[in-house]
Amino acid sequence: MKVVKFGGSSLASGEQLEKVFDIVVSDPERKVVVVSAPGKRYPEDIKVTDLLIECAKKCLVNEEPKKHFDALIQRYAAIAAELALPAEIISEISDDLTTRLNADKSNPERFIDLLKASGEDNNAKLVAAFFCKKGLEAAYVNPKEAGLFVTAEPGNAQVLPEAYTELHKLRERSEILVFPGFFGYSKEGDVYTFSRSGSDITGAILANALKADLYENFTDVDAVFSVNPSIIDRPKEIKELTFREMRELSYAGFSVLHDEALVPAFRAGIPVHIKNTNNPQAHGTRIVAERDNTNGPVIGIASDEGFCSIYVSKYLMNREIGFGRKLLSILEDFGLSYEHTPSGIDDLSVILRENQLDAEKEKKIIHRIKTELQADEVIFEHSLALIMVVGEGMRHNIGTMARASKALAKANVNIEMINQGSSEVSMMFGVKEVDEIRAVKAIYEEFFAAVPV
Amino acid sequence: MKVVKFGGSSLASGEQLEKVFDIVVSDPERKVVVVSAPGKRYPEDIKVTDLLIECAKKCLVNEEPKKHFDALIQRYAAIAAELALPAEIISEISDDLTTRLNADKSNPERFIDLLKASGEDNNAKLVAAFFCKKGLEAAYVNPKEAGLFVTAEPGNAQVLPEAYTELHKLRERSEILVFPGFFGYSKEGDVYTFSRSGSDITGAILANALKADLYENFTDVDAVFSVNPSIIDRPKEIKELTFREMRELSYAGFSVLHDEALVPAFRAGIPVHIKNTNNPQAHGTRIVAERDNTNGPVIGIASDEGFCSIYVSKYLMNREIGFGRKLLSILEDFGLSYEHTPSGIDDLSVILRENQLDAEKEKKIIHRIKTELQADEVIFEHSLALIMVVGEGMRHNIGTMARASKALAKANVNIEMINQGSSEVSMMFGVKEVDEIRAVKAIYEEFFAAVPV
């Protein structure tokens, strides 16, 4: 049995819904369909979710949301018209939206969640109606009735353990189930949405609860690329990667899907298949627990800029028990999360995202480290990029570092930092931001291009 | 003005003292001579300090220390006889030792310190007597009178700030001053010794206090080697290295001198010159604040074994503020000091010396990390070696990592870990202990040998 999730662009129009229908019926294993709200039809289009947020904000300042309300109904109506669906579905959606707009606004965040969630919820009803009209035995599933219980955290709901037991019962249903993504219900019966990519989360939860054999995630790309296509023109596609590889890659720049969303599938060992609604014949990318290691040590390269480092030196630092821990405590006091801590004998650097900092904070941090830890030197360095080179194949492949560092040297890139050894499937290079693209190109050439020697 | 320190082997016999005398008089800048206790004359010989410790222990269990007492006096007497010194010096030393043996034993550690310190103290008197007999205007300096005040920590005394002011007054003296190394006096007037290589510490304190131009440290090697000579036969000698380079090298296996001992000289910016008493013509090794960077990126390679790593993985670890700090806190609770913490996205490894651990402790640590941090995996890996590749020249030398990692790959060494980027003058490789010697040889060949391509 497969859980199939479709993203917003796959559901943006009647034409897209026809593709979705064809995909669902082409494989009898596709029993549960998780849907997003209608996305963009063309680059300047507005997503239904964004319209809903605007609409909710108007209501909260007591403005008339009629314009937004009409625009929303118009989006559903356009799809319904394209697919010649009966008028009832639109009046049902309209009634639902009206009820939500009149709901309790004493908790503004909860009200926004209630509105936002309607995008997926009403779209699921519309998709189910469409499937039925096409003669499929299909049904909309109400997440409340199905038992998708979550914590009462607006915009960041967490699934509750009992939800898995409740949702498992959906296996007894014989129809194709159309399940709205993005939200669940608190024990008190209120709607709360997940964090970004919330429909991916719903799909992963269902795949786990229903013990699916596969979680198919339909989006609008043929596959995950081995490197950012804005750096390398038409890079190699990744056919299969492990969860670990995806995590390492997602860290810096890989945004095909929000990796945290896959946790429930990952925990249950269910493979995820990323496919293209617009080109379902394409192989796509499978994310698996383990893979055969046949195609070289490196599967992908990710990079991201906007990092800085705090360099702290103190003579005889390495004899001081607790120095590193105290340094991290100070950063924690400022609410900073850090990425890496390369260390020498008498020095320690902390790499972190620089958007967490400003000049004022930096001054305070330097002061505290100097006074509390009696550090000799505390220096901020800005504008660093991190490059992750990832692949299960490098686990015991002698010489991968030599190849990567030689490629960087040939491209005249100075390596500011190397962090390698904890994860066996990645090596990380820190370089200056100005060197980032040159560095990524050099590593890609080394591992992916058939370079004549 | 120069402070000159002589180690135990340079003072083990009358023949050695003649060399010391020649060295001192050959340069009128050599005004302060710091002496150790007489060391070994031949490999099976017993150092005076070791005899003193044995002697103190006998006294503490109320045994008759006569045998040790006689052996001690015999050592000094042999030197005095060789140099035809007057008998008074030996009776003076004998009286001093008798007084110490009868001292208060209520604090055993303090009593041991009092005995241990006599080795340097009496040797300084003997050396001063010898210098005077040779017609030199020389004088023994009593550290108590000179004001070398220290904390009351047996075996680990720390110099007190006021000592520098007091000792500075020695500049007014015109004679060659012979100063005993290894100990000072508490404000209460009790003797306390420094930690190991304590005479080096005394020399560095005096160099600082007296604003010396140079601190000469005479030992029994021609120079510091670029790599451990038990791994590479007759390796290149280091003519000049910076304090930073020395610190990085001393970390793992370089034991020509105890680097912490040099802190007072380092803080005052006074260069240290390591020379050979038995071959004073040899260039030796200068340790300086900065050096001209002319001879390649790497100046030395050090390695040490006996490390282990604790690998901790947890899915989505990098989103948890405080994870690293909490992990280090747990290790701190066990009194463990750690060396490095390479990190991936969802994992973190801590490298530490494995002699701090046993099976019981490891079990407890794994348990605490698993329960308190909800880690997915906690794994100890043993028998790791760390290799430090050090050189100011690698600061902005593109390609050093490529050369080093390629050399390791060619030698079929798997790199378990790389830590590079905090210190600009070193890169660290973690390898399996079985690969250590092969790895060091490969890196030495790459950077030091003129290898035909």
Side-chain angles (χ1 to χ4, degrees), chain B residues 301-330:
Chain B
I301 305 160
S303 66
D304 203 6
E305 45 194 31
F307 293 93
C308 67
S309 76
I310 311 174
Y311 168 86
V312 181
S313 77
K314 181 179 183 181
Y315 200 69
L316 303 183
M317 178 191 291
N318 80 326
R319 310 289 159 111
E320 265 184 63
I321 288 191
F323 191 93
R325 193 258 312 150
K326 286 176 208 155
L327 177 62
L328 297 182
S329 293
I330 291 175

Side-chain angles (χ1 to χ4, degrees), chain A residues 196 243-244 246-251 258-260 262-263 266-267 311-312 314-326 328-329 332 335-349 356 376-377 388 394-403 405-410 412-424 426 428-429 432, chain B residues 196 243-244 246-251 258-260 262-263 266-267 311-312 314-326 328-329 332 335-349 356 376-377 388 394-403 405-410 412-424 426 428-429 432:
Chain A
R196 68 193 180 94
F243 279 103
R244 276 168 62 124
M246 183 204 56
R247 267 294 289 162
E248 304 274 346
L249 286 171
S250 68
Y251 172 62
H258 185 39
D259 59 298
E260 288 184 34
L262 299 184
V263 174
F266 162 72
R267 295 267 183 218
Y311 168 86
V312 181
K314 181 178 183 183
Y315 200 69
L316 302 183
M317 177 192 291
N318 82 326
R319 309 289 158 112
E320 265 184 64
I321 288 191
F323 191 93
R325 193 257 313 151
K326 287 176 207 153
L328 297 181
S329 293
E332 210 175 325
L336 301 170
S337 81
Y338 72 94
E339 309 292 323
H340 302 283
T341 57
S343 53
I345 305 310
D346 292 330
D347 43 51
L348 186 62
S349 293
Q356 305 176 88
D376 295 332
E377 267 186 300
M388 298 289 300
M394 69 175 65
R395 204 182 276 266
H396 291 295
N397 195 302
I398 289 176
T400 310
M401 172 55 69
R403 288 176 67 186
S405 55
K406 193 180 166 198
L408 292 175
K410 271 173 71 182
N412 206 31
V413 171
N414 193 40
I415 302 170
E416 301 287 318
M417 184 184 64
I418 297 179
N419 191 336
Q420 188 241 311
S422 186
S423 161
E424 288 180 307
S426 72
M428 201 203 68
F429 297 94
K432 291 204 165 62
Chain B
R196 67 195 181 94
F243 278 103
R244 276 167 61 122
M246 184 204 56
R247 266 296 286 163
E248 303 275 347
L249 285 172
S250 70
Y251 171 60
H258 185 39
D259 60 299
E260 288 184 34
L262 299 184
V263 175
F266 163 71
R267 294 269 183 216
Y311 168 86
V312 181
K314 181 179 183 181
Y315 200 69
L316 303 183
M317 178 191 291
N318 80 326
R319 310 289 159 111
E320 265 184 63
I321 288 191
F323 191 93
R325 193 258 312 150
K326 286 176 208 155
L328 297 182
S329 293
E332 211 175 323
L336 301 172
S337 81
Y338 72 94
E339 310 292 323
H340 302 283
T341 56
S343 53
I345 305 311
D346 292 331
D347 42 51
L348 186 63
S349 292
Q356 305 177 87
D376 294 332
E377 266 186 300
M388 299 290 299
M394 70 175 64
R395 206 181 274 267
H396 290 294
N397 195 302
I398 288 176
T400 310
M401 173 55 71
R403 287 176 66 187
S405 54
K406 193 179 164 198
L408 292 175
K410 272 174 69 182
N412 206 32
V413 172
N414 193 40
I415 303 170
E416 301 287 319
M417 183 184 66
I418 296 180
N419 191 336
Q420 190 241 311
S422 187
S423 161
E424 289 180 306
S426 71
M428 200 203 68
F429 296 94
K432 291 206 165 64

Side-chain angles (χ1 to χ4, degrees), chain B residues 48 60 90 198 290 402 438:
Chain B
V48 162
L60 286 170
I90 298 306
E290 284 178 35
R438 216 164 67 251

Side-chain angles (χ1 to χ4, degrees), chain B residues 239-281:
Chain B
K239 292 214 160 121
E240 192 172 65
L241 79 167
T242 64
F243 278 103
R244 276 167 61 122
E245 288 173 328
M246 184 204 56
R247 266 296 286 163
E248 303 275 347
L249 285 172
S250 70
Y251 171 60
F254 267 63
S255 58
V256 167
L257 79 172
H258 185 39
D259 60 299
E260 288 184 34
L262 299 184
V263 175
F266 163 71
R267 294 269 183 216
I270 299 165
V272 179
H273 200 162
I274 296 168
K275 298 206 72 172
N276 189 352
T277 303
N278 304 314
N279 183 18
Q281 308 314 322

